[in-house]
Tab-separated table of all heavy atoms in Angstrom:
chain	number	residue	atom	x	y	z
M	30	GLU	N	-30.187	4.980	190.566
M	30	GLU	CA	-31.184	5.826	191.194
M	30	GLU	C	-32.583	5.234	191.094
M	30	GLU	O	-33.479	5.629	191.838
M	30	GLU	CB	-31.168	7.211	190.548
M	30	GLU	CG	-29.889	7.995	190.856
M	30	GLU	CD	-29.833	9.315	190.132
M	30	GLU	OE1	-30.707	9.539	189.274
M	30	GLU	OE2	-28.916	10.107	190.418
M	31	SER	N	-32.790	4.278	190.194
M	31	SER	CA	-34.092	3.657	190.041
M	31	SER	C	-34.207	2.459	190.985
M	31	SER	O	-33.212	1.905	191.447
M	31	SER	CB	-34.290	3.179	188.594
M	31	SER	OG	-34.200	4.247	187.702
M	32	ALA	N	-35.448	2.087	191.264
M	32	ALA	CA	-35.654	0.876	192.051
M	32	ALA	C	-35.160	-0.318	191.243
M	32	ALA	O	-34.981	-0.240	190.028
M	32	ALA	CB	-37.149	0.737	192.361
M	33	GLU	N	-34.907	-1.407	191.909
M	33	GLU	CA	-34.404	-2.592	191.209
M	33	GLU	C	-35.391	-3.021	190.131
M	33	GLU	O	-36.597	-3.016	190.331
M	33	GLU	CB	-34.190	-3.732	192.202
M	33	GLU	CG	-32.956	-3.572	193.068
M	33	GLU	CD	-32.664	-4.830	193.861
M	33	GLU	OE1	-33.264	-5.866	193.547
M	33	GLU	OE2	-31.859	-4.752	194.793
M	34	TYR	N	-34.857	-3.383	189.006
M	34	TYR	CA	-35.682	-3.899	187.926
M	34	TYR	C	-34.816	-4.733	187.007
M	34	TYR	O	-33.593	-4.718	187.099
M	34	TYR	CB	-36.369	-2.765	187.159
M	34	TYR	CG	-35.441	-1.843	186.395
M	34	TYR	CD1	-35.283	-1.961	185.023
M	34	TYR	CD2	-34.731	-0.838	187.052
M	34	TYR	CE1	-34.451	-1.111	184.315
M	34	TYR	CE2	-33.899	0.021	186.354
M	34	TYR	CZ	-33.773	-0.119	185.002
M	34	TYR	OH	-32.950	0.726	184.315
M	35	VAL	N	-35.463	-5.475	186.119
M	35	VAL	CA	-34.745	-6.355	185.211
M	35	VAL	C	-34.273	-5.552	184.011
M	35	VAL	O	-35.065	-4.900	183.332
M	35	VAL	CB	-35.648	-7.517	184.752
M	35	VAL	CG1	-34.884	-8.427	183.792
M	35	VAL	CG2	-36.159	-8.301	185.947
M	36	HIS	N	-32.973	-5.602	183.742
M	36	HIS	CA	-32.397	-4.859	182.619
M	36	HIS	C	-32.418	-5.760	181.378
M	36	HIS	O	-31.428	-6.403	181.055
M	36	HIS	CB	-30.975	-4.428	182.955
M	36	HIS	CG	-30.884	-3.639	184.224
M	36	HIS	ND1	-31.436	-2.386	184.355
M	36	HIS	CD2	-30.341	-3.929	185.426
M	36	HIS	CE1	-31.215	-1.932	185.576
M	36	HIS	NE2	-30.570	-2.853	186.245
M	37	TYR	N	-33.547	-5.776	180.700
M	37	TYR	CA	-33.692	-6.653	179.544
M	37	TYR	C	-32.838	-6.198	178.365
M	37	TYR	O	-32.490	-7.007	177.510
M	37	TYR	CB	-35.155	-6.709	179.108
M	37	TYR	CG	-36.063	-7.392	180.096
M	37	TYR	CD1	-36.924	-6.653	180.900
M	37	TYR	CD2	-36.074	-8.777	180.217
M	37	TYR	CE1	-37.770	-7.272	181.809
M	37	TYR	CE2	-36.918	-9.411	181.116
M	37	TYR	CZ	-37.756	-8.655	181.912
M	37	TYR	OH	-38.590	-9.270	182.819
M	38	LEU	N	-32.489	-4.915	178.314
M	38	LEU	CA	-31.710	-4.384	177.205
M	38	LEU	C	-30.362	-3.876	177.696
M	38	LEU	O	-30.244	-3.366	178.806
M	38	LEU	CB	-32.465	-3.246	176.516
M	38	LEU	CG	-33.861	-3.567	175.984
M	38	LEU	CD1	-34.421	-2.371	175.219
M	38	LEU	CD2	-33.854	-4.804	175.113
M	39	SER	N	-29.362	-3.989	176.840
M	39	SER	CA	-28.031	-3.498	177.166
M	39	SER	C	-27.954	-1.994	176.913
M	39	SER	O	-28.794	-1.410	176.216
M	39	SER	CB	-26.980	-4.207	176.303
M	39	SER	OG	-27.140	-3.835	174.936
M	40	ASP	N	-26.911	-1.372	177.454
M	40	ASP	CA	-26.674	0.043	177.177
M	40	ASP	C	-26.529	0.283	175.679
M	40	ASP	O	-27.004	1.289	175.146
M	40	ASP	CB	-25.397	0.514	177.888
M	40	ASP	CG	-25.581	0.664	179.395
M	40	ASP	OD1	-26.704	0.434	179.887
M	40	ASP	OD2	-24.598	0.995	180.080
M	41	ALA	N	-25.870	-0.648	174.995
M	41	ALA	CA	-25.659	-0.490	173.551
M	41	ALA	C	-26.977	-0.523	172.794
M	41	ALA	O	-27.170	0.227	171.820
M	41	ALA	CB	-24.726	-1.585	173.037
M	42	GLN	N	-27.902	-1.378	173.218
M	42	GLN	CA	-29.198	-1.431	172.552
M	42	GLN	C	-29.974	-0.130	172.758
M	42	GLN	O	-30.615	0.385	171.837
M	42	GLN	CB	-30.019	-2.610	173.082
M	42	GLN	CG	-29.553	-3.961	172.580
M	42	GLN	CD	-30.346	-5.096	173.194
M	42	GLN	OE1	-30.285	-5.312	174.408
M	42	GLN	NE2	-31.096	-5.801	172.368
M	43	ILE	N	-29.927	0.393	173.963
M	43	ILE	CA	-30.621	1.652	174.241
M	43	ILE	C	-30.001	2.788	173.426
M	43	ILE	O	-30.705	3.604	172.829
M	43	ILE	CB	-30.590	1.959	175.747
M	43	ILE	CG1	-31.396	0.905	176.518
M	43	ILE	CG2	-31.140	3.354	176.021
M	43	ILE	CD1	-31.276	1.010	178.019
M	44	ALA	N	-28.671	2.830	173.399
M	44	ALA	CA	-27.983	3.870	172.633
M	44	ALA	C	-28.312	3.770	171.146
M	44	ALA	O	-28.511	4.790	170.477
M	44	ALA	CB	-26.473	3.758	172.846
M	45	ALA	N	-28.383	2.546	170.618
M	45	ALA	CA	-28.706	2.366	169.203
M	45	ALA	C	-30.122	2.836	168.899
M	45	ALA	O	-30.384	3.402	167.829
M	45	ALA	CB	-28.531	0.894	168.818
M	46	ALA	N	-31.044	2.624	169.838
M	46	ALA	CA	-32.422	3.092	169.648
M	46	ALA	C	-32.457	4.618	169.603
M	46	ALA	O	-33.146	5.212	168.763
M	46	ALA	CB	-33.317	2.569	170.771
M	47	VAL	N	-31.709	5.252	170.486
M	47	VAL	CA	-31.659	6.722	170.504
M	47	VAL	C	-31.053	7.249	169.211
M	47	VAL	O	-31.477	8.285	168.683
M	47	VAL	CB	-30.868	7.220	171.730
M	47	VAL	CG1	-30.671	8.733	171.682
M	47	VAL	CG2	-31.580	6.824	173.022
M	48	GLU	N	-30.062	6.540	168.661
M	48	GLU	CA	-29.404	6.969	167.427
M	48	GLU	C	-30.344	6.937	166.221
M	48	GLU	O	-30.047	7.542	165.184
M	48	GLU	CB	-28.184	6.092	167.144
M	48	GLU	CG	-26.986	6.381	168.025
M	48	GLU	CD	-26.445	7.781	167.819
M	48	GLU	OE1	-26.357	8.225	166.666
M	48	GLU	OE2	-26.121	8.435	168.826
M	49	LEU	N	-31.474	6.247	166.346
M	49	LEU	CA	-32.439	6.224	165.249
M	49	LEU	C	-33.124	7.579	165.070
M	49	LEU	O	-33.667	7.869	164.004
M	49	LEU	CB	-33.507	5.152	165.502
M	49	LEU	CG	-33.042	3.696	165.451
M	49	LEU	CD1	-34.185	2.778	165.879
M	49	LEU	CD2	-32.568	3.332	164.056
M	50	LEU	N	-33.092	8.405	166.104
M	50	LEU	CA	-33.769	9.693	166.033
M	50	LEU	C	-32.913	10.706	165.278
M	50	LEU	O	-31.733	10.865	165.576
M	50	LEU	CB	-34.041	10.227	167.438
M	50	LEU	CG	-34.867	9.337	168.364
M	50	LEU	CD1	-35.053	10.018	169.715
M	50	LEU	CD2	-36.207	9.012	167.736
M	51	PRO	N	-33.495	11.420	164.332
M	51	PRO	CA	-32.742	12.489	163.670
M	51	PRO	C	-32.615	13.673	164.607
M	51	PRO	O	-33.428	13.839	165.526
M	51	PRO	CB	-33.622	12.832	162.467
M	51	PRO	CG	-35.009	12.523	162.929
M	51	PRO	CD	-34.880	11.317	163.823
M	52	PRO	N	-31.618	14.513	164.412
M	52	PRO	CA	-31.525	15.716	165.245
M	52	PRO	C	-32.775	16.573	165.082
M	52	PRO	O	-33.327	16.676	163.982
M	52	PRO	CB	-30.290	16.433	164.689
M	52	PRO	CG	-29.497	15.361	164.012
M	52	PRO	CD	-30.509	14.404	163.450
M	53	PRO	N	-33.275	17.176	166.145
M	53	PRO	CA	-34.441	18.056	166.012
M	53	PRO	C	-34.081	19.315	165.241
M	53	PRO	O	-32.899	19.629	165.043
M	53	PRO	CB	-34.801	18.379	167.466
M	53	PRO	CG	-33.517	18.218	168.218
M	53	PRO	CD	-32.781	17.105	167.535
M	54	THR	N	-35.084	20.037	164.817
M	54	THR	CA	-34.850	21.259	164.062
M	54	THR	C	-34.105	22.295	164.904
M	54	THR	O	-34.229	22.322	166.126
M	54	THR	CB	-36.174	21.865	163.584
M	54	THR	OG1	-37.070	21.950	164.699
M	54	THR	CG2	-36.792	21.011	162.515
M	55	THR	N	-33.350	23.131	164.234
M	55	THR	CA	-32.592	24.181	164.915
M	55	THR	C	-33.535	25.219	165.509
M	55	THR	O	-34.467	25.676	164.843
M	55	THR	CB	-31.642	24.875	163.927
M	55	THR	OG1	-30.768	23.894	163.358
M	55	THR	CG2	-30.812	25.941	164.619
M	56	MET	N	-33.286	25.559	166.757
M	56	MET	CA	-34.124	26.539	167.450
M	56	MET	C	-34.166	27.849	166.652
M	56	MET	O	-33.126	28.378	166.248
M	56	MET	CB	-33.542	26.805	168.838
M	56	MET	CG	-34.422	27.634	169.733
M	56	MET	SD	-35.743	26.655	170.435
M	56	MET	CE	-36.365	27.805	171.673
M	57	GLY	N	-35.369	28.333	166.371
M	57	GLY	CA	-35.535	29.583	165.652
M	57	GLY	C	-35.601	29.447	164.153
M	57	GLY	O	-35.874	30.438	163.453
M	58	SER	N	-35.364	28.235	163.620
M	58	SER	CA	-35.473	28.034	162.171
M	58	SER	C	-36.944	28.074	161.771
M	58	SER	O	-37.845	27.962	162.610
M	58	SER	CB	-34.866	26.688	161.779
M	58	SER	OG	-35.631	25.619	162.322
M	59	ALA	N	-37.196	28.226	160.471
M	59	ALA	CA	-38.576	28.305	159.987
M	59	ALA	C	-39.351	27.039	160.360
M	59	ALA	O	-40.522	27.111	160.773
M	59	ALA	CB	-38.578	28.513	158.470
M	60	GLU	N	-38.694	25.900	160.223
M	60	GLU	CA	-39.364	24.638	160.556
M	60	GLU	C	-39.653	24.550	162.051
M	60	GLU	O	-40.721	24.079	162.474
M	60	GLU	CB	-38.486	23.463	160.116
M	60	GLU	CG	-39.142	22.106	160.285
M	60	GLU	CD	-38.279	20.972	159.765
M	60	GLU	OE1	-37.199	21.247	159.207
M	60	GLU	OE2	-38.694	19.813	159.915
M	61	ASP	N	-38.700	24.998	162.856
M	61	ASP	CA	-38.875	24.968	164.301
M	61	ASP	C	-40.023	25.881	164.729
M	61	ASP	O	-40.860	25.505	165.563
M	61	ASP	CB	-37.582	25.407	164.983
M	61	ASP	CG	-37.632	25.278	166.492
M	61	ASP	OD1	-37.628	24.128	166.981
M	61	ASP	OD2	-37.676	26.314	167.179
M	62	ILE	N	-40.076	27.065	164.153
M	62	ILE	CA	-41.143	28.017	164.482
M	62	ILE	C	-42.502	27.441	164.095
M	62	ILE	O	-43.477	27.520	164.862
M	62	ILE	CB	-40.896	29.361	163.778
M	62	ILE	CG1	-39.663	30.046	164.381
M	62	ILE	CG2	-42.120	30.267	163.879
M	62	ILE	CD1	-39.187	31.263	163.605
M	63	ALA	N	-42.574	26.826	162.916
M	63	ALA	CA	-43.837	26.234	162.461
M	63	ALA	C	-44.272	25.112	163.394
M	63	ALA	O	-45.464	24.968	163.718
M	63	ALA	CB	-43.677	25.716	161.033
M	64	ASP	N	-43.307	24.306	163.842
M	64	ASP	CA	-43.597	23.207	164.756
M	64	ASP	C	-44.186	23.731	166.059
M	64	ASP	O	-45.188	23.217	166.568
M	64	ASP	CB	-42.297	22.436	165.014
M	64	ASP	CG	-42.490	21.168	165.818
M	64	ASP	OD1	-43.477	20.440	165.553
M	64	ASP	OD2	-41.661	20.901	166.707
M	65	ARG	N	-43.600	24.783	166.588
M	65	ARG	CA	-44.063	25.359	167.854
M	65	ARG	C	-45.404	26.077	167.696
M	65	ARG	O	-46.210	26.116	168.641
M	65	ARG	CB	-42.993	26.307	168.419
M	65	ARG	CG	-41.736	25.572	168.826
M	65	ARG	CD	-40.586	26.481	169.220
M	65	ARG	NE	-39.374	25.689	169.394
M	65	ARG	CZ	-39.072	25.026	170.511
M	65	ARG	NH1	-39.878	25.088	171.555
M	65	ARG	NH2	-37.963	24.317	170.585
M	66	GLU	N	-45.655	26.594	166.509
M	66	GLU	CA	-46.934	27.257	166.275
M	66	GLU	C	-48.095	26.264	166.326
M	66	GLU	O	-49.204	26.625	166.724
M	66	GLU	CB	-46.910	27.986	164.935
M	66	GLU	CG	-46.098	29.272	164.968
M	66	GLU	CD	-46.015	29.955	163.613
M	66	GLU	OE1	-46.385	29.320	162.596
M	66	GLU	OE2	-45.567	31.126	163.568
M	67	VAL	N	-47.843	25.012	165.942
M	67	VAL	CA	-48.889	23.993	166.043
M	67	VAL	C	-49.293	23.809	167.501
M	67	VAL	O	-50.488	23.734	167.830
M	67	VAL	CB	-48.417	22.653	165.439
M	67	VAL	CG1	-49.439	21.555	165.707
M	67	VAL	CG2	-48.181	22.789	163.941
M	68	THR	N	-48.307	23.738	168.375
M	68	THR	CA	-48.610	23.603	169.798
M	68	THR	C	-49.368	24.819	170.310
M	68	THR	O	-50.338	24.692	171.069
M	68	THR	CB	-47.311	23.411	170.612
M	68	THR	OG1	-46.665	22.208	170.184
M	68	THR	CG2	-47.606	23.317	172.105
M	69	GLU	N	-48.930	26.000	169.884
M	69	GLU	CA	-49.602	27.236	170.299
M	69	GLU	C	-51.076	27.200	169.935
M	69	GLU	O	-51.958	27.456	170.772
M	69	GLU	CB	-48.913	28.430	169.644
M	69	GLU	CG	-49.543	29.772	169.940
M	69	GLU	CD	-49.138	30.328	171.296
M	69	GLU	OE1	-48.025	30.011	171.753
M	69	GLU	OE2	-49.951	31.056	171.884
M	70	ARG	N	-51.353	26.872	168.664
M	70	ARG	CA	-52.743	26.860	168.193
M	70	ARG	C	-53.561	25.773	168.892
M	70	ARG	O	-54.715	25.993	169.272
M	70	ARG	CB	-52.785	26.656	166.678
M	70	ARG	CG	-52.221	27.824	165.879
M	70	ARG	CD	-52.620	27.717	164.416
M	70	ARG	NE	-52.151	26.478	163.801
M	70	ARG	CZ	-50.971	26.335	163.209
M	70	ARG	NH1	-50.122	27.358	163.170
M	70	ARG	NH2	-50.617	25.196	162.657
M	71	THR	N	-52.961	24.599	169.056
M	71	THR	CA	-53.656	23.476	169.686
M	71	THR	C	-53.972	23.774	171.146
M	71	THR	O	-55.071	23.484	171.636
M	71	THR	CB	-52.814	22.198	169.576
M	71	THR	OG1	-52.529	21.931	168.201
M	71	THR	CG2	-53.536	21.001	170.174
M	72	TYR	N	-53.012	24.364	171.828
M	72	TYR	CA	-53.192	24.701	173.244
M	72	TYR	C	-54.297	25.735	173.432
M	72	TYR	O	-55.169	25.588	174.295
M	72	TYR	CB	-51.867	25.229	173.808
M	72	TYR	CG	-51.906	25.567	175.284
M	72	TYR	CD1	-51.664	24.605	176.250
M	72	TYR	CD2	-52.183	26.862	175.700
M	72	TYR	CE1	-51.697	24.918	177.602
M	72	TYR	CE2	-52.219	27.193	177.045
M	72	TYR	CZ	-51.973	26.209	177.994
M	72	TYR	OH	-52.009	26.536	179.320
M	73	VAL	N	-54.293	26.754	172.604
M	73	VAL	CA	-55.281	27.823	172.720
M	73	VAL	C	-56.683	27.323	172.369
M	73	VAL	O	-57.679	27.730	172.987
M	73	VAL	CB	-54.889	29.014	171.814
M	73	VAL	CG1	-56.011	30.044	171.748
M	73	VAL	CG2	-53.610	29.670	172.334
M	74	ALA	N	-56.777	26.403	171.395
M	74	ALA	CA	-58.079	25.938	170.914
M	74	ALA	C	-58.638	24.766	171.714
M	74	ALA	O	-59.785	24.368	171.491
M	74	ALA	CB	-57.949	25.528	169.441
M	75	ARG	N	-57.905	24.227	172.651
M	75	ARG	CA	-58.358	23.030	173.367
M	75	ARG	C	-59.615	23.321	174.178
M	75	ARG	O	-59.824	24.453	174.641
M	75	ARG	CB	-57.262	22.523	174.295
M	75	ARG	CG	-56.924	23.450	175.454
M	75	ARG	CD	-55.746	22.946	176.253
M	75	ARG	NE	-55.534	23.779	177.440
M	75	ARG	CZ	-54.757	23.449	178.453
M	75	ARG	NH1	-54.086	22.314	178.427
M	75	ARG	NH2	-54.628	24.240	179.504
M	76	ASN	N	-60.445	22.294	174.345
M	76	ASN	CA	-61.631	22.456	175.181
M	76	ASN	C	-61.339	21.956	176.592
M	76	ASN	O	-60.282	21.374	176.858
M	76	ASN	CB	-62.843	21.742	174.566
M	76	ASN	CG	-62.609	20.243	174.377
M	76	ASN	OD1	-62.019	19.591	175.229
M	76	ASN	ND2	-63.091	19.706	173.255
M	77	ALA	N	-62.263	22.166	177.488
M	77	ALA	CA	-62.044	21.830	178.894
M	77	ALA	C	-61.848	20.329	179.093
M	77	ALA	O	-61.022	19.909	179.917
M	77	ALA	CB	-63.213	22.330	179.737
Side-chain angles (χ1 to χ4, degrees):
E30 292 176 351
S31 300
E33 285 190 13
Y34 66 102
V35 180
H36 305 293
Y37 292 105
L38 303 185
S39 67
D40 286 358
Q42 286 177 295
I43 295 172
V47 174
E48 285 297 318
L49 292 174
L50 303 180
T54 50
T55 302
M56 189 78 169
S58 66
E60 186 177 356
D61 186 71
I62 292 170
D64 187 42
R65 294 172 189 277
E66 285 177 348
V67 173
T68 298
E69 178 80 29
R70 293 195 301 271
T71 303
Y72 182 87
V73 171
R75 67 185 186 166
N76 59 40

